Amino acid sequence: MKLNLRAAASGQLAIVAGLIIAVGATAAVWLQSARAADASKHRVFELRTYTTAEGRLDALHKRFRDQTNKFFAKHGMEIIGFWTPADGAAAKNTLVYMLAFPSREAAEKSWKDFQADPGWKAAKEESEKDGKIVEKVVSVFLNPTDFSPLK
């Protein structure tokens, strides 16, 4: 009889241990899904840095001011801001700007549509009649942290 009680207790412990493992695994999957869902609630930001050919920063500013920003709006690209370095050699040839999108997928679609837009192609070609403007582009996509005031 004592042996049967031990076997029964051992079996119950195995069941309880199995349930604990299952609940833990389920909770881990749920937590990962919740984090992914929470991240998708926030916009994605793209920080872009353009380095221009020598003497072409003003032409880049003009193109953004007169043309590019209109095409950004047309293709759902939210402009957060534009900056130039305050000091050093980069102040003569660098433009930094940030865009926001509802998601990374939306960003990819917006850029694809923007680059295929015949109006943008014509504006870019016209702006470069005196020579190439942009030498280098660096793009970084950013996700806001949970403590970021900008989301």
Side-chain angles (χ1 to χ4, degrees), residues 36-145:
D38 188 50
S40 70
K41 291 179 189 174
H42 301 294
R43 298 178 292 175
V44 63
F45 297 87
E46 184 180 11
L47 182 67
R48 294 179 67 91
T49 303
Y50 285 23
T51 304
T52 67
E54 188 173 335
R56 300 293 280 151
L57 185 59
D58 288 341
L60 182 62
H61 286 192
K62 180 177 179 6
R63 184 165 75 191
F64 271 96
R65 186 182 307 108
D66 298 346
Q67 299 292 330
T68 308
N69 290 350
K70 294 172 191 170
F71 289 102
F72 280 177
K74 177 181 177 182
H75 295 290
M77 304 159 104
E78 180 185 350
I79 298 168
I80 301 301
F82 290 90
W83 301 271
T84 55
D87 301 310
K92 296 177 183 176
N93 70 347
T94 305
L95 176 68
V96 179
Y97 68 97
M98 183 177 282
L99 301 172
F101 303 90
S103 67
R104 184 69 180 261
E105 294 77 21
E108 290 168 6
K109 181 178 182 338
S110 290
W111 275 113
K112 182 180 174 189
D113 294 347
F114 170 84
Q115 291 169 339
D117 189 306
W120 161 245
K121 289 179 179 181
K124 182 177 187 274
E125 186 177 321
E126 173 63 24
S127 71
E128 293 184 334
K129 67 180 183 241
D130 295 329
K132 184 177 176 181
I133 295 175
V134 177
E135 293 281 326
K136 180 180 174 186
V137 177
V138 176
S139 168
V140 178
F141 280 92
L142 305 165
N143 294 318
T145 60

Side-chain angles (χ1 to χ4, degrees), residues 12-25:
Q12 287 175 344
L13 285 175
I15 291 171
V16 169
L19 285 172
I20 289 171
I21 290 170
V23 167

